[in-house]
Amino acid sequence: MANEKFLKVKSEGLNRRRKILLIIFSGVIILAGVCLWGIALDPSRYAPNYEARRLAPSLLHLFGTDNLGRDMFYRTVCGLSTSIQIGLLSALISSFIALALGSMSAVFGGKVDQMVSFMVDLCMGVPHLILLILISIAVGGGAAGVITGVAVTHWPNLTRVIRAEVMQVRSAQYVQIARKLGKSNWHIAAKHIVPHVFPQYLVGLILLFPHAILHEAAITFLGYGLPLDTPAVGVILAESMKHLATGMWWLAFFPGIALLLMTQLFDVVGDYLKILIDPHSARQ
Amino acid sequence: MSKGLLQYLTATVLRMMALLIAVTMLSFFLVHNAPMDPVDAFLGEVTVSEEQRAQIAEHWGLNRSPVEQYLIWVNNTLHGDMGESLTFHEPVTKVLGERFRASLLLMGTAWILSGVLGMILGIIAGVYKDRWPDRIIKTFSLLLASTPVFWIGLLVLMVFAVELQWFPLGLAVPIGKVESDVTWLERLHHLVLPALTLSITGIANIVLHTRQKLIDVMESEYVLFARARGESLKELVLRHGLRNIALPAVTLQFASISELFGGSVLAERVFSYPGLGSTAVVAGMHADAPLLIGIALFSALFVFAGNLTANILYGVIDPQIREGGGIDG
């Protein structure tokens, strides 16, 4: 009976869980699509074309063209793709740092915990942009500077989350029982702790992307990030500043909107993944 | 003041001192590691002989070990001398002081603006929970939370400075006017757009927080009882809502000073506003080591002051926090 009922609900199509899966799936597809499109894009699509300078947006040039006649739409796509790649790399590194520090501080406690806590405070104590500028200078600028900078400044929040999760599962009764039954630390880590922490880690990682991408754009905008000849959103917006007074509004408007939409998409994927993973919020 | 609170304060202040020292070490290490030569940065276009270069390097103590250099810097800083800025050719303390005054005006205005506006919007959203004003305000806040500051700045510039021409394009004072001739009205005129931009980004946090708190309050039993007594909506919000929300909201504002500072770097850049943020950008471009370290220390001090205030306020609001105070505080 119960099985039949379940099958019936399923055959009706989209239940809540499936709807959420569909949203996550399409979000990921769009983001991956933009990323791949940017990589595969022929650079001649946004090469300077002096016959098509300063054109307002039209069907031929969706986002208009700039002072050198470069098509802003393709430049933006390429810039978004660069942003996603850099965001991906730096968020991954950052999340590894968080994973290591968070679990270390939960497992060892005491002095280690205090050290990690101090590092978290240190990292949160200096405004991120100042820290990013300093790191970018220390590394020598360019993409390496951005990736290092974003990677070593974005771990504190996730570290806290992971620490709390590990602490919680460590004191859970089923883990205590497993320990009393003589299971090895490795067994407990692999069978109990990792499966519990991994989903939270994944959500944290995805919710890191928007921050990473926005900070990448910000630091590039200030002139410390990606070199001026790369089609990055930060570079595009910094250039657009010079042409604002002449009324070329499309130079700043569309790339900014595109960046905003993309970060929103990451947020949506992360939030829905959280609902999917957290049974408490799923029941609501 | 109770003994517990005093103990808590001492511990917090000691911790912050340790953090400040760590910040100076970190920024010193980063700037020291940079692949640029401070002598080159100082000389700029001027060419000098090897001998003179060596003399400059020795004068600055560049031939000593990094640890020694750091200790010299600490010693001088404790005596009120943070070195001379290579870009502005003025003592770092003087540059910091001047720029910070401009920044403080900008950040303070934005801080108050975002706090007041955020509270008002949050209360409206909380009162009309799940109805159209709430939906609009909530969507708007969530959207704003992930909008780049500099992009908002550019949009604001395009609309109000270029199209409508209500406000100037940038700077803190009219071009070509002597500092002493500038009136307050002119300063204010230049301040409006950057302050507006900066406040917009800080608003989302406070709106969502206020909204949630007000919803919690409005669903409580004492509000139900107050309703039964016949209190009007206005009375409910003012008597029961605002009293419970105001202090946590102020605390939250203090805790978000780090983001405010970061935002001011971008906003000042967009509006060419001569504050501390745009100075940091210029200092970085010119490899101005003393000024950079000074700014890092100063910004950390500023953030710590905000956090300290927030921590004290937390203690005032919730006595339980005084006991613990761990990593997840």
Side-chain angles (χ1 to χ4, degrees), chain B residues 57-72:
Chain B
E58 196 182 329
H59 178 67
W60 282 349
L62 287 175
N63 44 5
R64 297 178 203 222
S65 75
V67 179
E68 258 182 283
Q69 287 184 35
Y70 175 71
L71 290 177
I72 294 171

Side-chain angles (χ1 to χ4, degrees), chain B residues 151-216:
Chain B
W151 187 61
I152 294 185
L154 290 174
L155 291 190
V156 166
L157 260 183
M158 283 192 302
V159 175
F160 294 105
V162 177
E163 284 302 316
L164 299 172
Q165 306 205 329
W166 287 352
F167 297 100
L169 258 173
L171 300 173
V173 291
I175 298 171
K177 237 183 168 180
V178 189
E179 182 79 11
S180 51
D181 289 349
V182 184
T183 62
W184 271 102
L185 206 63
E186 282 169 334
R187 271 182 213 278
L188 210 63
H189 195 210
H190 282 78
L191 186 68
V192 173
L193 289 188
L196 186 74
T197 305
L198 193 53
S199 69
I200 284 178
T201 50
I203 235 173
N205 228 343
I206 206 92
V207 170
L208 295 173
H209 176 265
T210 308
R211 173 183 176 274
Q212 193 53 48
K213 281 272 169 187
L214 191 69
I215 289 173
D216 290 348

Side-chain angles (χ1 to χ4, degrees), chain A residues 153-217:
Chain A
T153 49
H154 282 66
W155 51 269
N157 277 329
L158 192 54
T159 303
R160 283 177 175 174
V161 171
I162 287 175
R163 175 181 174 276
E165 288 293 327
V166 175
M167 297 272 265
Q168 194 198 333
V169 70
R170 239 166 57 97
S171 55
Q173 276 180 343
Y174 62 90
V175 176
Q176 300 288 338
I177 291 170
R179 193 155 293 178
K180 285 280 190 294
L181 285 174
K183 303 284 185 198
S184 69
N185 279 343
W186 279 114
H187 179 91
I188 291 172
K191 291 281 174 187
H192 298 306
I193 298 188
V194 172
H196 181 82
V197 176
F198 184 73
Q200 304 291 340
Y201 166 76
L202 198 65
V203 171
L205 172 63
I206 291 175
L207 291 178
L208 258 181
F209 287 138
H211 286 271
I213 288 169
L214 287 181
H215 268 125
E216 179 268 316

Side-chain angles (χ1 to χ4, degrees), chain B residues 259-279:
Chain B
E259 282 157 46
L260 185 75
F261 199 99
S264 81
V265 176
L266 292 164
E268 285 177 11
R269 178 73 175 169
V270 173
F271 293 96
S272 341
Y273 192 88
L276 210 53
S278 51
T279 309

Side-chain angles (χ1 to χ4, degrees), chain A:
Chain A
M1 257 300 269
N3 204 11
E4 239 170 66
K5 201 174 165 194
F6 178 63
L7 284 175
K8 201 179 157 215
V9 172
K10 223 177 166 183
S11 66
E12 269 172 11
L14 298 172
N15 62 12
R16 192 179 151 83
R17 192 182 159 80
R18 292 185 135 205
K19 222 184 273 176
I20 289 173
L21 275 174
L22 192 70
I23 292 172
I24 294 174
F25 193 63
S26 23
V28 172
I29 291 279
I30 296 173
L31 289 169
V34 170
C35 183
L36 291 177
W37 191 11
I39 295 172
L41 200 63
D42 182 5
S44 67
R45 300 301 282 272
Y46 52 85
N49 173 7
Y50 294 102
E51 281 153 28
R53 293 168 56 191
R54 304 181 193 196
L55 294 178
S58 63
L59 279 180
L60 190 60
H61 301 284
L62 279 177
F63 289 2
T65 61
D66 70 356
N67 212 24
L68 299 172
R70 289 179 290 195
D71 184 278
M72 293 311 286
F73 177 70
Y74 289 114
R75 259 189 111 201
T76 306
V77 170
C78 205
L80 291 182
S81 170
T82 317
S83 288
I84 294 178
Q85 290 167 50
I86 287 186
L88 206 67
L89 192 59
S90 47
L92 261 178
I93 300 173
S94 207
S95 71
F96 283 145
I97 299 177
L99 194 61
L101 290 180
S103 26
M104 258 166 56
S105 105
V107 171
F108 297 117
K111 281 268 181 325
V112 179
D113 193 18
Q114 278 172 10
M115 267 298 289
V116 172
S117 165
F118 189 79
M119 280 163 75
V120 167
D121 283 353
L122 181 63
C123 197
M124 310 272 266
V126 188
H128 275 176
L129 268 175
I130 301 284
L131 207 53
L132 282 172
I133 290 177
L134 283 174
I135 293 171
S136 167
I137 293 171
V139 175
V146 180
I147 294 169
T148 323
V150 176
V152 301
T153 49
H154 282 66
W155 51 269
N157 277 329
L158 192 54
T159 303
R160 283 177 175 174
V161 171
I162 287 175
R163 175 181 174 276
E165 288 293 327
V166 175
M167 297 272 265
Q168 194 198 333
V169 70
R170 239 166 57 97
S171 55
Q173 276 180 343
Y174 62 90
V175 176
Q176 300 288 338
I177 291 170
R179 193 155 293 178
K180 285 280 190 294
L181 285 174
K183 303 284 185 198
S184 69
N185 279 343
W186 279 114
H187 179 91
I188 291 172
K191 291 281 174 187
H192 298 306
I193 298 188
V194 172
H196 181 82
V197 176
F198 184 73
Q200 304 291 340
Y201 166 76
L202 198 65
V203 171
L205 172 63
I206 291 175
L207 291 178
L208 258 181
F209 287 138
H211 286 271
I213 288 169
L214 287 181
H215 268 125
E216 179 268 316
I219 194 79
T220 305
F221 177 78
L222 290 177
Y224 287 96
L226 302 172
L228 285 176
D229 53 346
T230 39
V233 178
V235 174
I236 292 174
L237 290 178
E239 277 175 12
S240 79
M241 245 169 62
K242 295 177 207 148
H243 304 293
L244 273 188
T246 55
M248 287 161 77
W249 55 272
W250 57 88
L251 289 185
F253 184 73
F254 290 115
I257 283 274
L259 183 70
L260 180 59
L261 283 179
M262 205 178 59
T263 51
Q264 285 289 311
L265 211 53
F266 271 117
D267 265 337
V268 166
V269 171
D271 283 341
Y272 276 102
L273 204 60
K274 206 172 177 177
I275 297 176
L276 197 66
I277 286 167
D278 188 359
H280 177 68
S281 65
R283 242 184 276 127
Q284 281 174 354

